[in-house]
Amino acid sequence: MSAIAASSSSAILPNQRGWLGALSDRFWRQPKLFVFLLLLPALLWLGIVYVGSLFALLLQSFFSIDEFSGLINYEFTLKTYAELLRPQNLDVILRTVSMAAAVTLASALIAFPIAYMAARYARGKWKALFYLGIMLPLWASYLVKVYAWKLILAKEGILNWVFEQLHLTWLLDAWLSLPVIGGNSLSISYTGTFLVFLYVWMPYMILPIQAAIERVPTNLLDASSDLGATPMQTFWRVIFPLALPGIVAGSIFTFSLTLGDYIIPQIIGTSAFFIGQAVYAHQGTAGNIPLAAAFTVVPIVIMGLYLWMAKRMGAFDAL
Amino acid sequence: MRSDTPRAPWGLKLAAGAGLFFMLAPIALIFLYAFSSEERTYQWPPPGLTLKWFAVTWNRPDVWQALTLSVQVAAISTAIALVLGTLCAAAVSGTRFFGRETISLLVILPIALPGIITGISLRSAFSLMEIPFSFWTIVLGHATFCIVVVYNNAVARFRRTSGSMIEAAMDLGADKFQTFRHVILPNIGTALLAGGMLAFALSFDEVIVTTFTAGQQQTLPIWMLEELVRPRQRPVTNVVAMVVVIVTLLPILLAFYFSRGGDQTVAGMGK
Amino acid sequence: MTSAVSLQTVSRHFGAVRALDEVDLEVGEGEFFAMLGPSGSGKTTCLRLIAGFEQPTLGQIRIFGDAVEGVPPYRRNVNTVFQDYALFPHMNVRENVEFSLMLKRVDKATRAREAEAALELVKLGGYGDRRPGQLSGGQRQRVALARAIVNRPKVLLLDEPLGALDLKLREQMQEELKALQKTLGITFIFVTHDQGEALSMADRVAVFDFGKLVQVGTPEEIYTKPNSRFVADFVGSSNVLAPEFVETIAGERRWASLRPEAIHLLRSEGGHSALTGTVVSRSYLGATTRLGIELGGTLLHAVVPSGTDVPADGARVTIGFAREALHLMEDAG
């Protein structure tokens, strides 16, 4: 132990690291300053660059555009918001919200069995397979996914071919002749837009549902069947209510993402605008930044309400 | 329905199987079309298979330029996000202070709000301040939403790193910097790696914000978007689509591998 | 006796909570000192103040005469053995033990030699290449110990060092720790909620309750002359006698303590006095038996040698004890 005895005899050790040690001491003595300095870069970046721009944008929604000169009139007014209420703009909002709702509902329907299977039955190798089966489409490039559907929905594409092989082309034609959801072909109909939205955002529904179901303790299910519940009763009375917050959490993603998208309806669908396209068009070619800004407030407000409701249903615990 | 030997009802199996098919088939299709010999249409079934378009794509300078730009933007955005996200996570985990929740909200906001809002805000801010579009305006937008990915991964790992370990390091004579270098960094390293790779994938794939913050420059997704709106040479697009899938999925698989410890942060992230 | 650690009216408040309230304490050089108390009594806060993880709200702490106000933990020549050991999971055992030497830029060969010496001291020679995750709880604790002493700190702090070990291992470690402290000659301050541990290991014991230092003394003083009901009750579950009861047997209206083993039984067939009662419970402890005796509304515990003459439940007994065994305490309230 003699080697160890060669140690400092003082109770306080000297600073041997020069300015670095002195700086460390300083931070240690002023922990609040230290935390502030840690936060500073991110605060500057997000708080000033990001929130600043966001705020500037919202501010512009209270300006208006001079209809003759096309220049922005920098005076506080609610005129731009009133413009949102014009029939053609209300149409855009209504169309987008309906689409988001339809996509969310369909996502929940398709996602639930996958999530349920992955959470309750898949084990070992199957579990990994399910995981990757969910993660690959979730993370695969957004544009590539849209592109894949352009291939699928094309007139000469695989979907028409399948219908033809099954001698069901008449069914597809009948569907396309329906009002609103139909159109000249799949790739320029709301049905097409819906399918692509569904494909691109549905994976975001699976994970929260899966997480919620995984959190249901198995002994709860055993208890339920011990008490004489049939599997159906156990599902509807025990599992489904407990999975509901997961569905609501997932719907936040599908709803919000559909609401803000402007690329999918631009590539596949009719020429009618969705909110995102309206924003893009107004800020771009039309140069009407105030109206574009007012349009962006719509999804913010809708999502705010949605989040508020979701929070009351306890959906955030499932995220 | 006993939990020890679960057997799925056939109806559930069918629904889950069909769902998985719906999710995976389009991606498989991308791989197949890359080899199609058809030039002008999206014809199915492909009239023949060929490797010719790989060579053509290889020799296209515009594809290479777009790819290079995307990699550069993603690398720099990831580096920025790593620094900012880690510092922020360290501050939030190390102490309880007033406004913690606000910080978390602030970090998550760029990804919680639709991308179009982030994009148009930045664009109007650039035009207000008369900043010309450049490489750096793209990076500015990307780093903003990459921070959250690194932050989430780092916070999850900090939570699992025991506080007494940091005290032990200090107790044994490590100052703040030495503690970070020798104890904190090795413990959060894999989480940062996973977060960094996710951030890279996110930036590499981003198109919505980029359309607002890029001038004449084309990232790979912007190039893809052009091809989608106005198809010029479809077979080249097919090949690029496949390459993009591979480039984005590799980091995801690696990140999955590195975060197997139970953070589940790969799963927790949206775009 | 040189003072190793000295606390002068030290308080640590967390908001309205007084985790430590005006504590004065002197720990001598080379002492094996225990801080004893229930959880939340302030003993761990006291340790953390000495280590430097917390700062006193009021008062002053000196370590070997040096005021340590504003001195970070990494500049204090004091090391800690943590309750959860806090070993670095990304380093092997040797790297853990070498950590402080590495920071001091000690050369590699010396580092390895000293780490091995420290490991041998805690009987873990040759374990250097293992990972902390591969060790048992007792071994991890030894590594934590080796890591803390490799530097030869002026004071070694131990936070519930044996809390996570099972009984047998705990008894073995108690003896080893004492031996180690003798070998090294370092001042040990350890925190425990186990009064047996404190009494058997320490040269002196400080008893804490609700952030206050209640009593300091040798184990014997603490055990036989508790200064308050709390100490009497907490250290060795003494009988605490109410002033009314004490008045009837000792003539003074004060609280008193009476050790269970100081009570002996006088068989009384029908005798009546203030000291006659009924056996209401019996627990067999091996060499001794613990009896609960009800005595005119007061429940007393007595520990008597096991054997055939231990009275049965419900038996009438008269108790006796030496007058000195009745320890009158300060507080009369």
Side-chain angles (χ1 to χ4, degrees):
Chain A
M1 214 51 205
S2 56
I4 293 173
S7 117
S8 166
S9 60
S10 166
I12 296 174
L13 307 169
N15 172 16
Q16 291 173 323
R17 304 230 309 149
W19 65 271
L20 213 55
L23 193 62
S24 170
D25 292 4
R26 176 104 202 248
F27 285 155
W28 182 81
R29 278 183 209 116
Q30 288 167 288
K32 281 188 184 146
L33 173 76
F34 182 58
V35 168
F36 176 73
L37 287 178
L38 285 180
L39 284 174
L40 194 62
L43 276 183
L44 283 178
W45 191 286
L46 293 170
I48 294 183
V49 175
Y50 182 67
V51 176
S53 334
L54 208 60
F55 191 73
L57 178 75
L58 291 185
L59 206 63
Q60 299 202 43
S61 69
F62 294 104
F63 300 149
S64 64
I65 198 146
D66 190 296
E67 280 169 35
F68 299 105
S69 62
L71 293 174
I72 296 172
N73 179 8
Y74 293 98
E75 258 173 61
F76 180 84
T77 172
L78 289 173
K79 198 177 128 205
T80 312
Y81 281 99
E83 222 171 299
L84 272 187
L85 299 175
R86 282 187 193 165
Q88 75 265 32
N89 289 338
L90 269 184
D91 263 5
V92 170
I93 296 171
L94 194 68
R95 185 178 300 123
T96 313
V97 172
S98 319
M99 178 61 83
V103 168
T104 299
L105 266 179
S107 295
L109 279 179
I110 299 180
F112 197 90
I114 302 176
Y116 190 69
M117 190 83 183
R120 294 269 301 130
Y121 295 104
R123 292 286 172 270
K125 227 181 357 184
W126 283 102
K127 185 122 192 155
L129 198 75
F130 260 93
Y131 189 83
L132 287 179
I134 296 163
M135 294 312 285
L136 293 193
L138 177 65
W139 279 94
S141 162
Y142 165 83
L143 278 177
V144 170
K145 284 188 277 192
V146 178
Y147 185 65
W149 280 88
K150 194 163 174 151
L151 302 177
I152 293 169
L153 295 176
K155 265 210 162 88
E156 66 279 17
I158 189 169
L159 204 61
N160 277 309
W161 179 80
V162 168
F163 274 101
E164 203 174 299
Q165 297 297 307
L166 298 172
H167 303 289
L168 289 173
T169 311
W170 58 270
L171 187 67
L172 189 62
D173 288 341
W175 180 269
L176 286 175
S177 65
L178 291 173
V180 186
I181 54 173
N184 278 338
S185 82
L186 274 175
S187 55
I188 50 170
S189 69
Y190 284 133
T191 308
T193 319
F194 168 79
L195 279 174
V196 183
F197 269 134
L198 178 64
Y199 179 74
V200 172
W201 303 133
M202 199 257 294
Y204 293 89
M205 181 68 95
I206 300 180
L207 291 164
I209 301 183
Q210 191 185 342
I213 296 175
E214 266 169 2
R215 233 170 290 165
V216 179
T218 37
N219 58 16
L220 213 64
L221 308 182
D222 290 344
S224 170
S225 65
D226 269 358
L227 295 170
T230 65
M232 275 315 254
Q233 284 171 321
T234 304
F235 179 83
W236 285 112
R237 298 280 172 86
V238 181
I239 298 172
F240 189 74
L242 288 168
L244 198 61
I247 298 177
V248 177
S251 75
I252 294 170
F253 289 111
T254 54
F255 200 83
S256 154
L257 291 166
T258 311
L259 220 50
D261 198 298
Y262 76 96
I263 287 182
I264 289 172
Q266 180 189 348
I267 291 168
I268 287 163
T270 67
S271 55
F273 272 8
F274 281 71
I275 291 179
Q277 288 166 287
V279 171
Y280 191 72
H282 283 302
Q283 68 86 34
T285 44
N288 189 346
I289 297 266
L291 186 57
F295 255 117
T296 60
V297 173
V298 175
I300 297 180
V301 169
I302 294 176
M303 282 321 293
L305 282 174
Y306 201 99
L307 289 175
W308 179 72
M309 284 195 307
K311 193 172 175 169
R312 293 193 48 176
M313 292 182 67
F316 289 106
D317 308 331
L319 279 175
Chain B
M1 199 199 281
R2 303 296 300 192
S3 53
D4 28 310
T5 51
R7 286 199 76 107
W10 65 267
L12 177 66
K13 276 187 186 164
L14 200 71
L20 273 185
F21 177 79
F22 173 67
M23 288 171 71
L24 291 172
I27 293 178
L29 214 58
I30 287 288
F31 278 76
L32 208 114
Y33 265 93
F35 298 93
S36 172
S37 57
E38 172 61 39
E39 281 182 48
R40 312 216 168 279
T41 67
Y42 299 125
Q43 192 196 335
W44 179 271
L49 298 175
T50 173
L51 287 171
K52 173 181 147 199
W53 300 110
F54 283 86
V56 173
T57 310
W58 185 266
N59 293 316
R60 285 276 296 262
D62 57 333
V63 173
W64 280 109
Q65 274 165 14
L67 181 69
T68 315
L69 181 65
S70 273
V71 169
Q72 285 171 338
V73 168
I76 293 178
S77 305
T78 303
I80 295 173
L82 274 174
V83 174
L84 298 189
T86 309
L87 290 182
C88 206
V92 168
S93 320
T95 35
R96 323 203 126 267
F97 58 91
F98 180 73
R100 250 175 81 122
E101 301 297 316
T102 317
I103 303 283
S104 297
L105 183 71
L106 193 61
V107 172
I108 290 166
L109 206 59
I111 219 158
L113 288 179
I116 190 166
I117 296 179
T118 305
I120 189 176
S121 316
L122 289 175
R123 186 187 189 108
S124 64
F126 291 150
S127 74
L128 274 181
M129 290 156 65
E130 294 175 358
I131 299 170
F133 293 120
S134 69
F135 175 81
W136 294 104
T137 54
I138 306 178
V139 168
L140 199 87
H142 282 206
T144 303
F145 58 76
C146 282
I147 294 175
V148 63
V149 194
V150 176
Y151 173 83
N152 273 5
N153 271 269
V155 160
R157 186 63 63 88
F158 268 120
R159 208 172 286 145
R160 288 195 306 162
T161 306
S162 90
S164 67
M165 218 160 67
I166 291 162
E167 285 185 347
M170 293 249 238
D171 187 69
L172 292 165
D175 63 32
K176 289 243 172 202
F177 305 109
Q178 289 168 319
T179 303
F180 181 78
R181 155 100 178 68
H182 294 293
V183 174
I184 298 176
L185 201 56
N187 274 293
I188 64 167
T190 52
L192 291 188
L193 199 61
M197 279 187 295
L198 291 182
F200 190 93
L202 205 59
S203 162
F204 189 81
D205 187 35
E206 214 296 324
V207 63
I208 293 186
V209 176
T210 321
T211 51
F212 290 95
T213 56
Q216 295 306 307
Q217 286 169 303
Q218 279 194 331
T219 61
L220 202 57
I222 298 278
W223 185 92
M224 278 286 297
L225 185 61
E226 290 281 307
E227 289 294 315
L228 275 170
V229 179
R230 279 177 292 279
R232 281 172 299 185
Q233 204 168 10
R234 295 179 185 193
V236 175
T237 315
N238 290 340
V239 172
V240 172
M242 191 188 85
V243 172
V244 169
V245 171
I246 294 172
V247 173
T248 16
L249 287 187
L250 275 183
I252 299 312
L253 291 177
L254 284 173
F256 171 54
Y257 176 79
F258 282 120
S259 63
R260 269 177 317 172
D263 291 348
Q264 292 278 328
T265 34
V266 183
M269 282 318 313
K271 295 192 187 182
Chain C
M1 185 169 77
T2 328
S3 161
V5 175
S6 122
L7 275 67
Q8 285 144 19
T9 54
V10 169
S11 297
R12 175 68 173 121
H13 301 169
F14 296 100
V17 181
R18 298 184 168 198
L20 210 62
D21 200 9
E22 298 192 348
V23 166
D24 281 289
L25 186 65
E26 297 282 332
V27 179
E29 184 174 5
E31 244 190 320
F32 200 127
F33 193 86
M35 300 204 280
L36 174 68
S39 63
S41 61
K43 58 190 191 307
T44 300
T45 304
C46 196
L47 199 79
R48 292 173 58 79
L49 285 167
I50 300 168
F53 303 133
E54 308 271 355
Q55 294 305 299
T57 314
L58 294 166
Q60 197 178 43
I61 299 174
R62 289 177 179 278
I63 301 176
F64 283 87
D66 293 327
V68 290
E69 190 185 352
V71 177
Y74 51 84
R75 292 215 197 298
R76 299 187 183 195
N77 200 354
V78 168
N79 285 139
T80 308
V81 176
F82 290 82
Q83 185 172 10
D84 62 356
Y85 314 141
L87 299 180
F88 305 127
H90 58 289
M91 300 180 187
N92 66 21
V93 167
R94 179 178 309 104
E95 288 161 345
N96 262 284
V97 178
E98 281 180 356
F99 186 75
S100 56
L101 303 173
M102 183 265 291
L103 293 174
K104 286 184 176 169
R105 309 233 177 101
V106 175
D107 67 273
K108 266 200 166 140
T110 319
R111 242 151 66 185
R113 198 171 61 239
E114 298 199 359
E116 193 56 31
L119 280 170
E120 255 158 39
L121 216 53
V122 297
K123 307 202 167 91
L124 276 183
Y127 277 68
D129 292 326
R130 307 257 182 119
R131 290 259 154 193
Q134 298 171 308
L135 303 179
S136 70
Q139 289 169 330
R140 274 184 227 181
Q141 143 120 93
R142 286 160 193 264
V143 176
L145 201 55
R147 186 177 71 175
I149 58 169
V150 75
N151 240 333
R152 272 258 169 156
K154 303 286 275 184
V155 179
L156 184 73
L157 306 173
L158 304 102
D159 187 6
E160 299 270 1
L162 310 176
L165 305 180
D166 62 49
L167 182 66
K168 200 152 171 129
L169 206 53
R170 200 152 62 211
E171 285 173 352
Q172 186 192 341
M173 277 308 289
Q174 283 182 14
E175 289 180 15
E176 283 187 29
L177 274 179
K178 262 165 88 172
L180 187 68
Q181 195 255 347
K182 255 192 199 123
T183 320
L184 295 172
I186 295 175
T187 311
F188 277 34
I189 301 180
F190 83 106
V191 154
T192 180
H193 65 270
D194 180 334
Q195 43 87 16
E197 205 168 279
L199 297 183
S200 71
M201 289 166 78
D203 298 327
R204 283 198 307 146
V205 179
V207 186
F208 287 81
D209 188 34
F210 285 112
K212 295 257 186 205
L213 178 59
V214 188
Q215 190 173 6
V216 188
T218 63
E220 201 185 351
E221 282 165 2
I222 298 280
Y223 188 76
T224 57
K225 296 195 168 58
N227 67 357
S228 65
R229 277 177 283 163
F230 170 76
V231 177
D233 185 48
F234 188 75
V235 183
S237 358
S238 207
N239 291 301
V240 175
L241 307 178
E244 299 76 36
F245 185 80
V246 176
E247 198 173 20
T248 61
I249 50 177
E252 268 188 88
R253 199 177 164 81
R254 285 168 67 179
W255 289 91
S257 77
L258 182 61
R259 291 283 148 200
E261 64 276 13
I263 297 176
H264 53 267
L265 301 181
L266 312 161
R267 201 150 297 248
S268 79
E269 307 299 335
H272 283 281
S273 81
L275 295 178
T276 300
T278 313
V279 175
V280 292
S281 69
R282 238 164 67 130
S283 4
Y284 178 69
L285 303 174
T288 56
T289 299
R290 187 177 157 91
L291 297 174
I293 300 166
E294 174 154 353
L295 212 69
T298 305
L299 181 70
L300 286 183
H301 283 107
V303 173
V304 298
S306 296
T308 48
D309 56 341
V310 174
D313 264 3
R316 299 280 295 167
V317 290
T318 298
I319 61 167
F321 48 86
R323 173 62 186 81
E324 315 85 81
L326 190 72
H327 172 66
L328 299 174
M329 297 184 293
E330 302 301 321
D331 54 342

